[in-house]
Amino acid sequence: MNLRRDVFQAIADPTRRAILLLVAAQSMTAGAIAANFDTARPTVSKHLQILTECELLQQEQNGREIYYHFNAKKMKAVADFIEPFRKMWDDRFNKLEDVMKKYKSKK
Amino acid sequence: MERKTKIDAAEGRQDLVITREFDLPLDLLFRAYAEPEIIEQWMGTKVLKLENKQHGGYQFETSDGKGNIVFRANGAIHEFVPEKKITRTFEMENALFGIQLEFLEFESLSEDTSKLIMQIVYRSAKHREEQLKLPFSYGINMAHDRLEEVLGKLK
């Protein structure tokens, strides 16, 4: 069950990514979200449950309805994960640029 | 400021697309990948072998101050089109994430600027995650860390 709370596990599924895109635009009820997919309603509910468990989605009670909100803060974890890798390439390419600039001026 | 190096790591996929614009003309950018003595300078590694041609290959090796080998990588070159593209494999020896396929495409943007688009394909999404999880801080240290971890397990 722990795996389910992993953000990366959650967004590895294309349907769940589509749900996130929908909800990022506006908060929606489970019914409204399900209406966008061909899959059975319980399948969509399962996806919503996983997204909620890993906190990418948050539920909010509004009268009788439960609205799903997108949690951008949690999504940032994904970006942060990539960041050191980007930095490594950045450093390496900066060095390439420096070396080649010296090379050019030597000519 | 716009980031010079962009990494596109779409979730659930097994590839990465790294895009970078350089304040260098295309011919200089390409030479940074084609000439061993230049590669040694910016990658900080020794080039043991570099046959830049179809069916060619390469091998890089880095040693620490005491002469211990901390990083060794090799690959086969499949396509080599000067100032256009290089298609090659990349394998870091003793690493868990397996062999990668690299597509490097070089583009001229203007007389003094150019762009590199590098697509790295891993064996699976899981292999890609393994590489992204490495506790590297910069450059070659990542290989070092990995190696220490691997060797640590053997003790």
Side-chain angles (χ1 to χ4, degrees):
Chain A
M1 266 332 212
N2 270 340
L3 193 64
R4 277 232 199 133
R5 299 199 187 95
D6 182 337
V7 180
F8 293 94
Q9 179 69 18
I11 58 179
D13 181 272
T15 308
R16 291 199 284 272
R17 289 202 294 277
I19 292 174
L20 286 174
L21 285 173
L22 271 175
V23 180
Q26 64 175 121
S27 303
M28 292 168 96
T29 62
I33 293 166
N36 287 280
F37 297 93
D38 287 335
T39 37
R41 174 77 194 261
T43 312
V44 173
S45 297
K46 200 83 204 163
H47 285 317
L48 288 174
Q49 193 190 332
I50 291 168
L51 288 168
T52 309
E53 274 176 21
C54 74
E55 295 167 26
L56 277 172
L57 289 185
Q58 288 167 327
Q59 296 177 335
E60 195 198 353
Q61 188 88 32
N62 191 340
R64 274 209 219 151
E65 307 269 33
I66 292 171
Y67 279 85
Y68 286 89
H69 294 274
F70 178 65
N71 182 5
K73 228 189 254 168
K74 197 75 187 178
M75 200 67 183
K76 196 178 165 291
V78 179
D80 290 347
F81 179 70
I82 302 293
E83 187 56 24
F85 198 70
R86 196 191 63 78
K87 192 170 175 333
M88 177 204 91
W89 281 99
D90 225 13
D91 289 349
R92 190 175 275 190
F93 287 145
N94 285 340
K95 200 156 174 215
L96 184 161
E97 214 168 51
D98 286 350
V99 166
M100 293 319 282
K101 275 178 180 158
K102 275 187 212 132
Y103 209 80
K104 190 165 67 170
S105 57
K106 257 195 268 171
K107 268 199 298 184
Chain B
M1 195 185 97
E2 167 117 29
R3 287 172 165 174
K4 283 189 106 175
T5 306
K6 282 183 201 152
I7 304 223
D8 186 3
E11 290 305 321
R13 288 179 54 117
Q14 65 199 70
D15 68 335
L16 290 172
V17 181
I18 300 164
T19 315
R20 164 79 178 216
E21 293 183 9
F22 291 91
D23 293 324
L24 293 170
L26 176 65
D27 65 314
L28 273 184
L29 173 62
F30 194 80
R31 284 175 69 184
Y33 277 87
E35 294 178 22
E37 59 273 26
I38 303 176
I39 293 172
E40 290 192 342
Q41 287 182 58
W42 72 266
M43 295 229 346
T45 185
K46 246 195 286 178
V47 176
L48 300 183
K49 171 177 147 182
L50 183 67
E51 303 161 327
N52 266 323
K53 56 173 190 185
Q54 210 178 357
H55 312 305
Y58 66 90
Q59 193 176 23
F60 300 152
E61 187 182 278
T62 306
S63 316
D64 65 12
K66 294 179 208 139
N68 302 313
I69 293 159
V70 292
F71 165 84
R72 198 189 264 154
N74 68 79
I77 292 163
H78 285 254
E79 267 186 306
F80 186 81
V81 186
E83 300 190 2
K84 274 214 166 79
K85 65 176 167 180
I86 300 174
T87 307
R88 64 186 187 190
T89 58
F90 175 88
E91 180 180 13
M92 195 191 289
E93 293 171 23
N94 293 315
L96 291 177
F97 38 82
I99 300 162
Q100 300 151 37
L101 179 57
E102 299 183 338
F103 297 90
L104 281 74
E105 286 175 60
F106 301 83
E107 274 174 31
S108 175
L109 296 175
S110 72
E111 217 169 276
D112 303 309
T113 57
S114 53
K115 185 171 157 182
L116 170 67
I117 303 162
M118 190 171 173
Q119 186 188 12
I120 305 179
V121 184
Y122 295 84
R123 185 171 176 183
S124 69
K126 200 164 168 286
H127 285 83
R128 190 189 75 170
E129 301 302 282
E130 284 300 325
Q131 169 135 34
L132 288 173
K133 265 186 220 156
L134 288 182
F136 46 78
S137 51
Y138 56 91
I140 227 72
N141 274 6
M142 91 176 189
H144 200 162
D145 288 347
R146 182 83 242 167
L147 206 75
E148 263 176 8
E149 208 179 304
V150 170
L151 293 177
K153 276 183 200 144
L154 294 178
K155 265 184 223 163

